[in-house]
């Protein structure tokens, strides 16, 4: 491939990207705030599919849901996106946000991929009010998880070893986060980069998870520590 062909392909790719973004902005601007009473949900179901990577059946999108980079966003069947949700997959052609069928994102949930990264949420998972999920590393949340309000799941961390250099000018970690199936994170839990919370685990309200959590564990505190296993915990209850 000669330099002229490469330049033409690059310019064509940029033009296609701009056209796709224009279609996205036009549709979402026109439809995002259309109330349900004026058939807003029906119009969004009818007109949104062509601008998304995948757009399933019976999706319920309330007014004031913001989308950026819809060509990199996949939404399964019967997904519920409440008012104030923001999905941002702009910035890199390899960015990806995928929301499994039957999943609910409550009001104010913010999902953002930063650079060559993905956020994948499994089927029938619930993400509570004003939870933020973002990072340079890949983030995966499994099926049938319960994530309570005001949680923070951050797939990157700042390196600050050099005191002579501003923290913002140093590198970031990009290890990513995995939360396996059937996990429950209580209100205000924070999960830092590089963590795996294994299947069936419960993380108590306000905990900061700084190390991996084994399967079916109950962990609380700052930093979070395992205090019991679910099969030996009797009738313990953890508020969400």
């Amino acid at each position: 491939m000669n330099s002229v062909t490469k330049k033409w392909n690059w310019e064509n790719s940029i033009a296609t990207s701009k056209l796709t973004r224009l279609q996205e902005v036009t549709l979402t601007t026109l439809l995002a705030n259309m109330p349900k009473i004026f058939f807003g949900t029906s119009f969004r179901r009818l007109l949104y599919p062509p601008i998304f990577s995948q757009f399933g059946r019976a999706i319920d999108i309330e007014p004031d849901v913001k989308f950026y980079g819809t060509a990199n966003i996949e939404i399964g069947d019967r997904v519920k996106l409440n008012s104030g949700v923001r999905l941002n997959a702009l910035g890199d052609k390899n960015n990806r946000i995928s929301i499994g069928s039957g999943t609910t994102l409550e009001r104010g949930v913010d999902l953002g991929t930063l650079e060559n990264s993905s956020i994948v949420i499994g089927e029938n998972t619930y993400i509570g009010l004003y939870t933020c999920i973002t990072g340079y590393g890949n983030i995966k949340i499994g099926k049938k998880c319960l994530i309570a309000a005001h949680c923070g799941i951050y797939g990157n961390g700042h390196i600050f070893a050099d005191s002579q250099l501003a923290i913002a000018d140093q590198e970031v970690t990009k290890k990513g986060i995995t939360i396996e199936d059937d996990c429950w994170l209580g209100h205000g839990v924070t999960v830092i980069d590089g963590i795996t919370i294994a299947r069936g685990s419960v993380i108590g309200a306000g905990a900061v998870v700084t190390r991996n959590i084994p399967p079916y564990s109950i962990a609380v505190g700052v930093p979070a520590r395992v205090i019991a296993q679910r099969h030996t915990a009797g009738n313990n209850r953890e508020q969400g």
Side-chain angles (χ1 to χ4, degrees), residues 41-189:
T41 298
S42 297
F43 276 113
R44 286 185 280 272
R45 287 177 180 174
L46 178 65
L47 298 176
Y48 274 178
I51 64 172
F52 283 81
S53 176
Q54 176 186 329
F55 196 90
R57 301 187 306 273
I59 296 172
D60 186 358
I61 302 176
E62 290 193 346
D64 193 32
V65 172
K66 301 291 195 302
F67 297 106
Y68 305 90
T70 53
N72 297 332
I73 297 175
E74 305 165 2
I75 304 178
D77 300 335
R78 306 178 311 283
V79 168
K80 169 75 172 183
L81 304 179
N82 285 283
S83 181
V85 165
R86 188 181 81 115
L87 306 184
N88 187 351
L90 280 177
D92 191 291
K93 66 179 181 180
N94 294 318
N95 285 354
R96 176 184 175 226
I97 293 176
S98 178
I99 303 174
S101 296
T103 285
T104 294
L105 305 188
E106 273 292 359
R107 188 171 69 252
V109 169
D110 194 329
L111 274 56
T113 54
L114 296 179
E115 182 181 294
N116 193 28
S117 61
S118 65
I119 297 172
V120 178
I121 301 175
E123 297 175 358
N124 300 307
T125 282
Y126 175 88
I127 310 292
L129 297 163
Y130 299 104
T131 286
C132 180
I133 304 172
T134 188
Y136 287 99
N138 296 330
I139 298 172
K140 183 177 181 181
I141 299 174
K143 300 176 182 178
K144 294 189 176 181
C145 289
L146 300 172
I147 313 293
H150 297 280
C151 288
I153 300 171
Y154 303 113
N156 63 268
H158 289 279
I159 295 170
F160 51 87
D162 188 347
S163 61
Q164 304 304 308
L165 190 63
I167 295 173
D169 295 331
Q170 299 186 53
E171 295 295 321
V172 297
T173 64
K174 304 178 182 181
K175 299 175 183 176
I177 291 170
T178 298
I179 300 173
E180 295 182 352
D181 297 347
D182 186 33
C183 288
W184 175 20
L185 277 59
H187 180 276
V189 168

Side-chain angles (χ1 to χ4, degrees), residues 227-240:
I227 59 169
Q229 297 298 121
R230 279 179 57 192
H231 62 277
T232 60
N235 292 320
N236 285 350
R237 297 287 187 270
E238 183 59 49
Q239 291 186 349

